[in-house]
Amino acid sequence: MRTRPLKVALLGCGVVGSEVARIMTTHADDLAARIGAPVELAGVAVRRPSKVREGIDPDLVTTDATALVKRGDIDVIVEVIGGIEPARTLITTAFEHGASVVSANKALVAQDGEALHAAAEEHGRDLYYEAAVAGAIPLVRPLRESLAGDKVNRVLGIVNGTTNFILDKMDSTGAGYQEALDEATALGYAEADPTADVEGFDAAAKAAILAGIAFHTRVRLDDVYREGMSEVTAADFASAKEMGCTIKLLAICERAADGGSVTARVHPAMIPLDHPLASVRGAYNAVFVEAEAAGQLMFYGPGAGGSPTASAVLGDLVAVCRNRLNGATGPGDSAYTQLPVSPMGDVVTRYHISLDVADKPGVLAQVATVFAEHGVSIDTVRQSGKDGEASLVVVTHRAADAALTGTVDALRQLDTVRGVASIMRVEGE
């Protein structure tokens, strides 16, 4: 074993960063044995240096992150500050001054992954980011390395613990959306401003990363269709149960049947109760991968939190340090297919549409005619009502999103249709 330590600098020392520092200290001997050399925490960049950080030498703490990444004697930078800037500039500066980078920054990798990978390659350094997607669950490396010889056709997953907790609570207790959100906030699962989670921004960033790796193509954050879950109601769950389904906020990345394009999207969807993802409860994450040779694979575990995320960071740190010792780099960006990303209008799936209609003869025939005129085939219809008002629930066969959008627009023009109560996709079949 080499006795001279590899030097690691930490950018950020919040919930995740402090846990990374703790594990580096308490598991120092094990990490050294696994890497082949000891690792030394050589600096910690923070915004509030006066805060007491247990187990961290105050002499290592600095507010000058730029000076830290420019030192030249740092082997690996661990970036856990999040956001776009200053993280982007700090990472590229680290490459320029000889350091490899381990990051947990999903937003930055989703938005600027191509440029960051190019900078890493230019300077012969590593960029690893297992912790950017699904916390402790090993997912990025299996897609990038273990399945490198296979052809992945679909990635379907629950990649945000906050939204899964809320939807699971609505499903299991009958609570409304706001009530479930309030409980998630009280328990610390939801931020004071939950927009990034409940409106799907967090999941969309992860979907962009997963799609790019799985399909070896460029998928940017702007390519991902995003739809939040704040409009999901208890009535939607009641309808889902009647169909033998539950509702999850899903990240879905698919290769087209002809192999000529890909899609990436995030939205609430009904999913059959016998699908493995339907049983994922609480704040857990799970990702279902379909590959040609490997078949169906399931990755499950805690998707957030200090310890789980730190576990993923440390796994990357070990790999990057090993590469450093061997004078090598690991797998970089792989976008050789250059497949286009199709718009949401081209996506084909099933739909559950709930309509408020007049309770009188001929309504069903009018509605069915509109579906037929737009080339959308109906699978089942359920109608109930009294006192002049009724509810009509239509479940379609698979249809393109654009065709369904045109159908709904036309339905709204009918005098007998009072309103469209909800539209939800049905996935996992």
Side-chain angles (χ1 to χ4, degrees), residues 55-68:
I56 296 179
D57 184 348
D59 290 340
L60 296 179
V61 176
T62 179
T63 58
D64 193 345
T66 301
L68 182 59

Side-chain angles (χ1 to χ4, degrees), residues 11-260:
L11 305 183
C13 198
V15 174
V16 176
S18 59
E19 189 65 9
V20 170
R22 184 192 68 79
I23 296 174
M24 285 184 62
T25 301
T26 58
H27 295 181
D29 290 343
D30 285 338
L31 290 172
R34 294 166 190 170
I35 292 169
V39 288
E40 172 190 329
L41 186 60
V44 182
V46 300
R47 286 185 296 177
R48 296 185 297 275
S50 59
K51 180 180 177 180
V52 176
R53 294 174 173 83
E54 186 176 350
I56 296 179
D57 184 348
D59 290 340
L60 296 179
V61 176
T62 179
T63 58
D64 193 345
T66 301
L68 182 59
V69 300
K70 285 183 173 180
R71 274 178 39 175
D73 64 332
I74 302 296
D75 294 289
V76 184
I77 296 291
V78 174
E79 183 271 309
V80 287
I81 56 178
I84 305 302
E85 288 291 358
R88 173 171 49 197
T89 299
L90 291 171
I91 288 174
T92 55
T93 302
F95 291 143
E96 292 166 1
H97 288 78
S100 290
V101 174
V102 172
S103 176
N105 196 331
K106 55 186 171 288
L108 180 58
V109 174
Q111 178 172 306
D112 289 324
E114 180 181 356
L116 294 177
H117 274 292
E121 183 176 358
E122 178 185 355
H123 297 284
R125 295 295 176 251
D126 277 322
L127 173 63
Y128 276 48
Y129 41 87
E130 183 68 65
V133 181
I137 304 172
L139 187 57
V140 170
R141 195 170 297 136
L143 284 173
R144 190 163 65 176
E145 299 178 28
S146 302
L147 294 174
D150 206 340
K151 182 181 180 182
V152 176
N153 291 317
R154 195 170 195 237
V155 180
L156 173 77
I158 299 164
V159 295
N160 183 279
T162 300
T163 56
N164 200 58
F165 177 88
I166 293 170
L167 292 173
D168 183 38
K169 186 61 62 174
M170 293 176 70
D171 185 29
S172 61
T173 69
Y177 168 77
Q178 190 60 51
E179 182 183 354
L181 174 58
D182 290 344
E183 182 172 351
T185 303
L187 293 173
Y189 291 123
E191 301 287 345
D193 179 0
T195 302
D197 294 324
V198 301
E199 294 302 329
F201 292 99
D202 175 86
K206 296 170 182 176
I209 295 170
L210 292 176
I213 297 170
F215 307 134
H216 302 279
T217 196
R218 304 282 186 211
V219 180
R220 299 173 179 82
L221 185 55
D222 290 345
D223 294 324
V224 182
Y225 172 84
R226 178 193 55 78
E227 186 179 313
M229 51 164 273
S230 57
E231 300 301 318
V232 176
T233 66
D236 291 325
F237 273 100
S239 295
K241 287 181 179 179
E242 291 180 359
M243 289 182 59
C245 293
T246 188
I247 298 172
K248 300 291 187 182
L249 184 76
L250 298 177
I252 305 168
C253 311
E254 293 179 304
R255 188 191 300 267
D258 63 3

Side-chain angles (χ1 to χ4, degrees), residues 301-316:
S307 294
T309 306
S311 171
V313 170
L314 267 295
D316 278 351

Side-chain angles (χ1 to χ4, degrees), residues 273-352:
L273 292 175
D274 60 0
H275 192 281
L277 292 178
S279 60
V280 178
R281 312 304 297 268
Y284 275 71
N285 284 191
V287 177
F288 199 71
V289 176
E290 298 176 10
E292 285 197 355
Q296 297 178 333
L297 306 171
M298 179 83 160
F299 300 84
Y300 170 84
S307 294
T309 306
S311 171
V313 170
L314 267 295
D316 278 351
L317 179 63
V318 169
V320 170
C321 285
R322 285 173 175 168
N323 292 341
R324 190 81 171 189
L325 283 180
N326 294 325
T329 56
D333 196 17
S334 174
Y336 70 91
T337 63
Q338 298 184 6
L339 296 173
V341 181
S342 296
M344 186 63 190
D346 293 346
V347 171
V348 176
T349 188
R350 296 180 67 204
Y351 294 86
H352 177 283

